[in-house]
Amino acid sequence: MMAMSCKDGKGIMDNGKYVRYTPEQVEALERLYHECPKPSSIRRQQLIRECPILSNIEPKQIKVWFQNRRCREKQRKEASRLQAVNRKLTAMNKLLMEENDRLQKQVSQLVYENGYFRQHTQNTTLATKDTSCESVVTSGQHHLTPQHPPRDASPAGLLSIAEETLTEFLSKATGTAVEWVQMPGMKPGPDSIGIVAISHGCTGVAARACGLVGLEPTRVAEILKDRPSWFRDCRAVDVLNVLPTANGGTIELLYMQLYAPTTLAPARDFWLLRYTSVMEDGSLVVCERSLKNTQNGPSMPPVQHFVRAEMLPSGYLIRPCEGGGSIIHIVDHMDLEPWSVPEVLRPLYESSTVLAQKTTMAALRQLRQIAQEVSQSNVTGWGRRPAALRALSQRLSRGFNEALNGFTDEGWSMMGNDGIDDVTILVNSSPEKLTGLNLSFANGFPAVSNAVLCAKASMLLQNVPPAILLRFLREHRSEWADNNIDAYSAAAVKVGPCSLPGSRVGSFGSQVILPLAHTIEHEEFLEVIKLEGVGHCPEDAMMPRDMFLLQLCSGMDENAVGTCAELIFAPIDASFADDAPLLPSGFRIIPLDSGKEASSPNRTLDLASALEIGPAGNRSSNDYAANGGNTRSVMTIAFEFAFESHLQENVASMARQYVRSIISSVQRVALALSPSHLSSHAGLRAPLGTPEAHTLARWICQSYSGKGSHNARLRFCLSIHSLGVYLEIKIPAGLLAGDISSGNKFTLLCYLGVELLKSSGEGSESILKTLWHHSDAIMCCSLKVGDLILNAVDGAGNTCFLVLAFLTKGPNPCGALPVFTFANQAGLDMLETTLVALQDITLEKIFDDHGRKTLCSEFPQIMQQGFACLQGGICLSSMGRPVSYERAVAWKVLNEEENAHCVCFMFMNWSFV
């Protein structure tokens, strides 16, 4: 085959099929690719004009080069992903082999002890009990707290305690000192958080986890030692003394305080010894235990308002992993003194599942989150780095815990009640608290608010899963919130002087949820809430303003076992600075029935499930799914207000009444959400699982495949030129619907009858579930006139006229807006929004001018023929980020009466630019 030279000799063309580029041309194209990996035809023409070195190459060849370059990039990423999965599988296999060895040892020990027990009971010749041969096993368990000989507080005595702590910790982490059973709802796998287990039958509560993290052992130890940075319930850890050891390790004496999770229980504290050392195989060990008077070591006197709890030998075993990263074993073992709390709350302090969720798994999540941030090192929501967003989440959670506990050493003092002690009022006027708020007027003068008030209360809930209730509170704020109180809170922090609520006439019509960040497993969300049209002052009634809340939401997965649900928010300024003043308020809902562990002495880790590949982090097993009809939980409410000191009584009265009204609203909502009001067998449904959603999913799929009508089966337009491929299509006789047109763009219309989904079942639930998890972004668009969604589309084409008029900025007397009414998970990710905020996004906002023109030209075809194919391009998410898509399909969704219900869009192979 003969090669032909280009006109300037810089490129070689082989019979017009491909071009051999010079190194200079490749360098120029690579530079352009990093600037814009998917240029439009206009952009490619511009590139040729701006870069003379490419002037000899045809635009079609440049388009092919970019397509090939994107394909190579995709293959490179896939190869890298597969290598990472292979490394995870190798390390996971090592963990599973170690776990198998440990279980075999445990089985052998139980068999031996069982034989000894039989021999002992069958020996009837023993007249008296021989205490010297007494078994150390009771119900198949070791005594984990042996009698320690007295020791002194000298370095040698502390080292003796430390070495014993290390031995006991290792026996729990890799040995058989504790009988571990699989954590309910956890299935280990390469994409899961790790292998998580809880104790059965031992003293106190205990949890154990094994996992892989992409950080070096020293970095892992540094993060885990900084417990307040990842353990939200940890108030402080004070290192009182540090002693080096002869083997290169360190012994530390620590005093740790934990927040109380509710107003009904006191806080906990610990007096600890922490031992850090390096083992012979290079593993790094950090182990801890409480120091007690029986050990004759250094003591710490009791602290007022705290209950002294005990930490039994616990810690972290960190081993370097081949290829980078670490394999980590975590053991948490505590006695939280359940006797000190009301009986109704004792399951919370007797549950190993709760300990695993709040402490053990929280440590693994923090490590995975930081490892991902280090590997990506990108800027996330609103131009902030992940570390800054994590700091904001930590500030919200810590501020809520501080207000909830109201420690006197932080300046909180209690006010008297009004004869009813259902709501507790605390006041804080310490300079440190006000300095942290940084209150000021809009004109720069100091604020007159010189104190902070907190109103808090707790209530017991029956038969309502915390995740369902929290989701309702998040998505339906108007059902419980008073916009006047919200306006007062925002004004006190941001604007300055503002009269008490009662005279306010401003109101907000809706809330918009703006996603900001989320954790890897989506168990926690940080978002900005925009309350539209809030009046800060009476004169704002004619011109209401928007108000913003920074909100932290967690525990919305109703299948997660032992997880508390939290909704914490604080008013912020529109500028949203990293050091913005925060006065957190919100809700915490803690399940109380997770103490009834779904474990038995005969249950072991389900290691076979570890071979499943895919997200399995916090999923519930079928045999342990939460029963909505038997759940109990305690809800704690805390609201903070900044105020002027001379208005303390008035603000306290307002806050007390406000919290009581919220309690009343929550009780009403909880009754409405009770399973007895929804379904006698199906439990509670998420908003996505409503009958309307199931019906819409069925209509979408039927309209796509053309099964909804015998006379109007869906036809697809394949633009061969735009796809850059050559297709040979064999069409059975009688199915040809159009002719191949001449010109640059070849269009073939045929009845394909393609199925949108390959559902595993025929039921509507299966269709909705499959549609929800579809890899392409699917979203529906309808007309919105005011607050009314027009689902039905006029068969005469009036809707088409209105949409076209809006997109082209033409006359639109009805004020109709094409808005999105449904999207699957990929669609929400692409738009960077939620189901609640979806209807606030109009169709024209996501397209640029070129996209709007393309849609206008194709819309008549959608309404007349039922479908249209759109070329690839760029659209915008709700956060303003550009999103590229390879191609898109739009089709008319028909209802049961064959009338147009809405228009559905599917964006294929989309990615953020």
Side-chain angles (χ1 to χ4, degrees), residues 51-356:
C51 191
I53 198 173
L54 301 176
S55 60
N56 65 297
I57 303 177
E58 296 181 7
K60 182 174 68 173
Q61 298 296 339
I62 292 183
K63 178 181 178 181
V64 172
W65 186 93
F66 273 91
Q67 287 177 341
N68 294 336
R69 180 64 178 82
R70 290 194 298 270
C71 183
R72 291 197 302 271
E73 181 71 16
K74 185 176 181 180
Q75 292 175 344
R76 184 190 65 79
K77 291 181 179 179
E78 180 65 13
S80 177
R81 187 189 70 83
L82 291 176
Q83 290 175 358
V85 170
N86 182 64
R87 288 194 297 269
K88 288 183 179 180
L89 287 172
T90 301
M92 182 64 68
N93 181 63
K94 183 178 180 181
L95 278 177
L96 291 176
M97 292 176 64
E98 293 176 353
E99 188 66 24
N100 185 58
D101 291 340
R102 188 192 67 81
L103 290 174
Q104 288 181 354
K105 292 179 182 178
Q106 183 173 341
V107 169
S108 300
Q109 180 175 334
L110 291 174
V111 170
Y112 171 79
E113 292 168 349
N114 182 56
Y116 173 82
F117 179 74
R118 285 184 176 182
Q119 181 181 2
H120 184 75
T121 55
Q122 293 174 359
N123 189 356
T124 58
T125 61
L126 293 178
T128 58
K129 184 176 180 180
D130 185 2
T131 57
S132 63
C133 298
E134 183 177 354
S135 173
V136 296
V137 178
T138 302
S139 300
Q141 272 304 298
H142 289 287
H143 292 296
L144 295 177
T145 312
Q147 294 296 324
H148 301 281
R151 303 180 180 90
D152 55 30
S154 66
L158 293 177
L159 181 60
S160 177
I161 298 175
E163 293 291 350
E164 187 175 87
T165 302
L166 174 61
T167 301
E168 292 191 34
F169 159 68
L170 292 177
S171 68
K172 298 176 185 179
T174 60
T176 60
V178 172
E179 181 182 351
W180 299 110
V181 297
Q182 181 175 307
M183 169 84 170
M186 296 298 301
K187 286 190 176 181
D191 293 325
S192 71
I193 192 173
I195 303 174
V196 184
I198 56 176
S199 62
H200 170 75
C202 72
T203 303
V205 291
R208 170 180 169 270
C210 312
L212 314 172
V213 292
L215 298 170
E216 295 304 314
T218 53
R219 177 60 174 150
V220 172
E222 177 186 346
I223 294 171
L224 294 176
K225 284 186 174 184
D226 186 15
R227 192 178 260 112
S229 68
W230 55 266
F231 186 21
R232 295 289 173 83
D233 285 353
C234 183
R235 184 192 183 202
V237 176
D238 296 330
V239 180
L240 303 183
N241 196 6
V242 179
L243 300 173
T245 61
N247 59 2
T250 56
I251 296 176
E252 300 167 280
L253 299 182
L254 311 176
Y255 176 65
M256 180 173 69
Q257 292 181 343
L258 301 184
Y259 290 111
T262 174
T263 60
L264 303 177
R268 265 53 182 168
D269 66 351
F270 296 82
W271 172 234
L272 302 171
L273 177 145
R274 182 165 67 192
Y275 180 39
T276 305
S277 64
V278 179
M279 302 181 66
E280 294 181 356
D281 62 354
S283 300
L284 186 60
V285 181
V286 180
C287 55
E288 300 172 320
R289 81 171 314 146
S290 287
L291 292 172
K292 300 185 298 182
N293 293 332
T294 57
Q295 298 166 340
N296 199 26
S299 61
M300 167 70 69
V303 179
Q304 189 179 10
H305 306 304
F306 285 88
V307 172
R308 181 64 50 84
E310 180 184 1
M311 179 179 291
L312 290 85
S314 308
Y316 318 104
L317 171 61
I318 312 165
R319 296 182 295 178
C321 185
E322 296 181 6
S326 304
I327 299 176
I328 181 171
H329 295 254
I330 302 176
V331 173
D332 290 302
H333 193 178
M334 301 180 184
D335 184 353
L336 297 174
E337 305 295 339
W339 60 266
S340 63
V341 300
E343 186 174 357
V344 69
L345 291 182
R346 288 181 186 176
L348 179 62
Y349 292 83
E350 297 171 343
S351 170
S352 295
T353 302
V354 172
L355 177 69

Side-chain angles (χ1 to χ4, degrees), residues 359-390:
T359 309
T360 315
M361 294 172 63
L364 274 181
R365 289 191 178 107
Q366 177 80 352
L367 293 172
R368 295 185 70 201
Q369 191 73 34
I370 294 178
Q372 184 190 54
E373 295 169 3
V374 170
S375 62
Q376 295 182 353
S377 184
N378 58 351
V379 176
T380 57
W382 294 31
R384 283 171 169 76
R385 295 200 172 273
L389 296 176
R390 275 193 292 111

Side-chain angles (χ1 to χ4, degrees), residues 33 170 218 322 496 564 630 794:
Y33 175 82
L170 292 177
T218 53
E322 296 181 6
C564 76
N630 297 318
D794 188 358

